[in-house]
């Protein structure tokens, strides 16, 4: 049986009257690329913030790499936050230097390799970058870390289709032979679903479906089809 | 990396950032030469005004110039606030808050960097004030003959007491700025009015209380020239308040870290 890297039991998080997570039970297997899928407001970002210790659950238990979330365990996690930007006064080289000094496990040689692949010049200043270029830089800063868990919250937002395809191709190449668990939330399911080994579908703060993508495909069709069918017709399920 | 190295690395990056936000960078940074030109021009205009005003028997004296710096404590507060606010304004708060270091380390580094920045600004402005006083003396000696040594020394010494007070208040003002900014991003927003009330009391304590404590010998009587700045314008009890303020600054900074750890609203 595969070991779990993240375990949630009956996690609830409310913002006012709204349940961001509602008695969520999830177990994420390690060393897999996992798609965390769901429409806006389904709880994906809150779930990620909880894994990194940014928010605490109102009730329930969460374990990440066998420990409670917090700054200590963040040494083992590379996290690309939703709607994040990078420091505008940095250059690409400056951002790598920052990461090398402050992010444990950051491998500058890997970062340079990824930057070349993604056509990022070292002297580019963030304040002069397009949103897509900035998104690539942030992706590199996460992917170049030798840590057991990588969390990418909407990593492709703001990146044009052509660049996106190139980045995804690079990610598949780069991540395929690494012993890391990668959690990705995205709306671009159609383009990235080939990457996923495992998928978790969230709706209104609950996990409504999860499993190995091969098995899910055999049962329901592509991830994209599952997404469209399920969320188009509401909470009816399968 | 050892934790002390991480701390000073964070401080270094904070100092390098210069509180530059994306918005400010988009507006475009004024070239340094133009900025310097404006500063020199303003300096000369203000110097001319002082020389002119002191010669017109309006009752204006060189030492009165210090009244124009009464807003400096609020600058200290602003620096503390800006250190935190910029993370949110740049949308980098997610990166900052998930760094694998304790909230005390993260907040402490920002706090120390803000202190160093404000200390630098205070030292530079005081050095400029000395230059200003000397140039004033030179202008007067050209116009009237004879360098007004007593007046210039009076100006420099009274400024020294004022800046000493600012440096003493700096830890507390910066920590309040940090706390006010942190509160905005936590579930503890409801205590904001209390903090502003505390600020009001502190402001009154500083601007009003200094005069009340010793009506014959205080900072304002020195600025106005009623008394000589030869000895400390602060009563001994004021130094106890200052030390209490530093302890409070430490506690407020720890409290900011606690709020970011346990009450973050993201």
């Amino acid at each position: 049986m595969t070991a779990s890297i993240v375990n949630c039991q009956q996690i609830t998080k409310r913002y006012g009257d709204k349940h961001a997570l509602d008695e969520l039970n999830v177990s994420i297997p390690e060393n897999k690329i996992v798609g965390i899928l769901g429409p806006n407001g389904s709880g994906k970002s809150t779930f990620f913030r909880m894994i990194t210790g940014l928010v605490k659950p109102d009730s329930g238990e969460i374990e990440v790499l066998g420990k409670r979330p917090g700054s200590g365990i963040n040494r083992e996690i590379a996290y690309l936050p939703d709607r994040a930007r990078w420091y505008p006064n940095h250059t690409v080289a400056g951002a790598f230097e920052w990461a090398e000094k402050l992010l444990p496990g950051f491998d500058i040689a890997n970062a340079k390799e990824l930057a070349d692949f993604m056509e990022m010049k070292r002297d580019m200043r963030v304040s002069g970058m397009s949103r897509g270029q900035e998104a690539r830089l942030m992706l590199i800063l996460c992917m170049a870390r030798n840590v057991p868990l990588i969390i990418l919250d909407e990593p492709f937002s703001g990146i044009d289709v052509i660049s996106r395809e190139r980045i995804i191709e690079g990610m598949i190449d780069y991540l395929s032979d690494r012993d890391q668990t990668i959690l990705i939330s995205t709306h671009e399911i159609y383009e990235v679903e080939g990457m996923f080994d495992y998928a978790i579908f969230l709706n209104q703060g609950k996990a409504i479906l999860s499993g190995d993508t091969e098995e899910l495909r055999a049962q329901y069709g592509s991830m994209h089809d599952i997404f469209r069918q399920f969320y188009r017709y509401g909470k009816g399920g399968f | 990396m050892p934790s002390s190295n991480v701390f000073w690395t964070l401080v270094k990056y904070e100092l390098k950032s210069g509180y530059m936000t994306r918005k400010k960078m988009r507006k475009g940074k004024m070239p340094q030469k133009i900025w310097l030109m404006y500063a020199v021009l303003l300096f000369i205009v203000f110097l001319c005004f002082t020389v002119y005003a002191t010669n017109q028997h309006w009752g204006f004296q060189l030492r009165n110039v210090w009244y124009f710096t009464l807003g400096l404590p609020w600058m200290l507060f602003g620096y503390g606030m800006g250190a935190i606010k910029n993370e949110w304004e740049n949308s980098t708060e997610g990166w900052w808050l998930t760094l694998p270091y304790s909230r005390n380390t993260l907040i402490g580094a920002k706090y120390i960097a803000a202190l160093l920045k404000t200390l630098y600004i205070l030292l530079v402005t005081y050095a400029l004030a000395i230059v200003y006083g000397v140039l004033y003396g030179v202008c007067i000696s050209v116009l009237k003959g004879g360098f007004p040594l007593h007046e210039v020394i009076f100006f420099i010494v009274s400024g020294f007491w004022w800046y000493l007070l600012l440096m003493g208040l700096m830890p507390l003002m910066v920590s309040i700025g940090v706390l006010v900014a942190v509160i905005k991003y936590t579930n503890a927003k409801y205590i904001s009015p209390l903090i502003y009330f505390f600020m009001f009391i502190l402001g009154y304590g500083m601007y009003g209380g200094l005069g009340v404590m010793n009506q014959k010998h205080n900072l304002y009587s020195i600025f106005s020239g009623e008394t000589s700045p030869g000895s400390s314008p602060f009563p001994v009890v004021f130094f106890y308040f200052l030390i209490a303020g530093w302890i409070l600054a430490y506690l407020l900074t720890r409290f900011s870290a606690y709020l970011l750890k346990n009450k973050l609203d993201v």
Side-chain angles (χ1 to χ4, degrees):
Chain A
M1 195 178 159
T2 321
S4 299
I5 197 157
V6 177
N7 255 308
C8 289
Q9 284 179 354
Q10 299 285 306
I11 289 284
T12 295
K13 178 70 187 172
R14 279 182 298 272
Y15 291 108
D17 294 337
K18 190 183 177 299
H19 277 82
L21 297 175
D22 188 8
E23 298 186 347
L24 177 72
N25 288 304
V26 157
S27 185
I28 297 176
E30 64 180 7
N31 298 334
K32 287 186 187 275
I33 300 181
V34 182
I36 306 290
L37 308 170
N40 293 332
S42 58
K44 303 184 296 291
S45 293
T46 303
F47 177 50
F48 288 160
R49 287 182 198 131
M50 208 165 270
I51 293 174
T52 53
L54 277 176
V55 293
K56 291 181 188 298
D58 296 329
S59 61
E61 289 291 324
I62 178 165
E63 269 194 1
V64 182
L65 293 149
K67 292 174 190 155
R68 297 185 77 169
S71 59
I73 201 71
N74 283 351
R75 298 182 67 81
E76 316 276 328
I77 303 172
Y79 171 51
L80 169 57
D82 179 30
R83 284 173 289 181
R85 305 291 298 270
W86 193 254
Y87 295 96
N89 58 322
H90 283 189
T91 58
V92 171
F96 288 174
E97 189 195 307
W98 183 95
E100 200 179 21
K101 286 180 178 162
L102 295 170
L103 298 176
F106 183 79
D107 185 334
I108 197 153
N110 274 348
K112 285 176 179 170
E113 199 181 307
L114 282 162
D116 290 340
F117 178 78
M118 294 196 194
E119 294 165 353
M120 300 287 293
K121 289 182 184 159
R122 310 280 195 284
D123 58 353
M124 282 171 88
R125 193 166 286 279
V126 174
S127 58
M129 286 181 185
S130 68
R131 285 299 286 266
Q133 287 169 323
E134 201 175 333
R136 282 186 231 177
L137 171 64
M138 293 188 291
L139 201 55
I140 293 169
L141 291 168
C142 285
M143 284 170 54
R145 284 183 69 189
N146 294 317
V147 288
L149 179 60
I150 298 179
I151 301 173
L152 308 173
D153 196 355
E154 296 291 349
F156 310 115
S157 63
I159 304 179
D160 63 85
V161 181
I162 306 295
S163 307
R164 204 155 62 209
E165 281 173 0
R166 188 165 166 76
I167 292 166
I168 291 164
E169 189 188 312
M171 279 177 79
I172 294 171
D173 255 16
Y174 182 77
L175 298 170
S176 56
D177 56 350
R178 294 172 74 89
D179 291 334
Q180 288 175 311
T181 305
I182 298 144
L183 311 185
I184 305 176
S185 81
T186 180
H187 287 108
E188 275 74 37
I189 301 172
Y190 187 71
E191 291 165 35
V192 297
E193 72 164 275
M195 284 172 68
F196 298 147
D197 304 311
Y198 195 90
I200 297 170
F201 289 85
L202 295 182
N203 196 26
Q204 297 182 352
K206 287 179 190 289
I208 51 171
L209 183 69
S210 62
D212 277 317
T213 47
E214 285 304 310
E215 288 169 20
L216 292 175
R217 275 191 202 105
Q219 208 174 343
Y220 304 110
S222 72
M223 297 299 105
H224 190 243
D225 288 341
I226 298 173
F227 192 88
R228 281 176 57 188
Q229 283 172 48
F230 191 80
Y231 297 113
R232 180 180 291 176
Y233 301 119
K235 290 188 276 182
F238 294 88
Chain B
M1 193 186 272
S3 57
S4 64
N5 284 1
V6 163
F7 183 82
W8 291 109
T9 303
L10 286 166
V11 170
K12 192 188 96 183
Y13 275 107
E14 196 61 26
L15 290 171
K16 269 169 93 177
S17 81
Y19 293 162
M20 193 44 76
T21 62
R22 201 174 304 278
K23 211 169 149 187
K24 283 183 203 161
M25 287 188 95
R26 219 177 15 241
K27 276 185 184 168
K29 207 174 163 186
M30 196 189 287
Q32 211 164 5
K33 274 184 187 169
I34 306 277
W35 191 93
L36 196 68
M37 200 182 75
Y38 274 116
V40 171
L41 196 69
L42 188 73
F43 188 85
I44 293 169
V45 168
F46 200 66
L47 184 66
C48 291
F49 162 77
T50 315
V51 172
Y52 180 74
T54 51
N55 278 293
Q56 289 299 307
H57 307 292
W58 294 346
F60 189 81
Q61 302 169 81
L62 176 61
R63 66 192 71 112
N64 298 153
V65 166
W66 291 119
Y67 282 120
F68 289 98
T69 62
L70 285 179
L72 278 175
W74 307 107
M75 179 206 76
L76 309 180
F77 169 76
Y79 262 86
M81 208 168 162
I84 305 296
K85 219 174 127 198
N86 275 13
E87 293 288 351
W88 269 265
E89 287 197 349
N90 281 330
S91 300
T92 49
E93 78 280 4
W95 295 102
W96 178 57
L97 290 168
T98 53
L99 281 171
Y101 312 109
S102 73
R103 295 288 195 260
N104 280 328
T105 303
L106 298 180
I107 284 281
K110 283 200 180 280
Y111 176 71
I112 295 294
L115 276 187
L116 292 173
K117 280 183 188 182
T118 49
L119 182 66
Y120 172 76
I121 287 172
L122 290 180
L123 291 175
V124 167
T125 53
Y126 186 62
L128 281 175
I130 292 174
V131 173
Y132 180 83
V134 172
L135 285 177
Y136 168 85
V138 171
C139 291
I140 293 296
S141 62
V142 169
L143 287 172
K144 290 183 170 178
F147 189 87
L149 188 64
H150 182 257
E151 201 180 348
V152 172
I153 288 177
F154 202 120
F155 170 73
I156 291 171
V157 175
S158 53
F160 168 79
W161 291 119
W162 169 229
Y163 271 68
L164 197 68
L165 171 68
L166 288 175
M167 283 181 198
L169 281 174
M170 201 169 64
L172 182 60
M173 291 304 284
V174 173
S175 72
I176 295 172
V178 167
L179 179 63
V180 166
V182 163
I183 280 173
K184 193 178 164 194
Y185 306 108
T186 66
N187 296 327
K189 290 179 194 81
Y190 57 87
I191 62 170
S192 273
L194 281 177
I195 302 290
Y196 280 106
F197 180 71
F198 174 71
M199 289 271 292
F200 170 76
I201 297 291
L202 186 77
Y204 176 76
M206 196 186 78
Y207 289 118
L210 272 175
V212 173
M213 279 189 222
N214 186 341
Q215 291 187 358
K216 293 282 176 196
H217 196 73
N218 63 56
L219 208 60
Y220 305 110
S221 65
I222 292 175
F223 284 4
S224 64
E226 289 165 42
T227 55
S228 163
S231 59
S232 163
F234 313 118
V236 175
V237 67
F238 184 75
F239 290 97
Y240 296 138
F241 279 119
L242 220 50
I243 292 165
W246 297 342
I247 296 167
L248 185 60
Y250 172 76
L251 295 174
L252 292 181
T253 311
R254 293 296 294 248
F255 183 55
S256 297
Y258 166 82
L259 289 177
L260 273 188
K261 187 180 177 194
N262 297 299
K263 303 285 177 191
L264 195 64
D265 186 19
V266 287

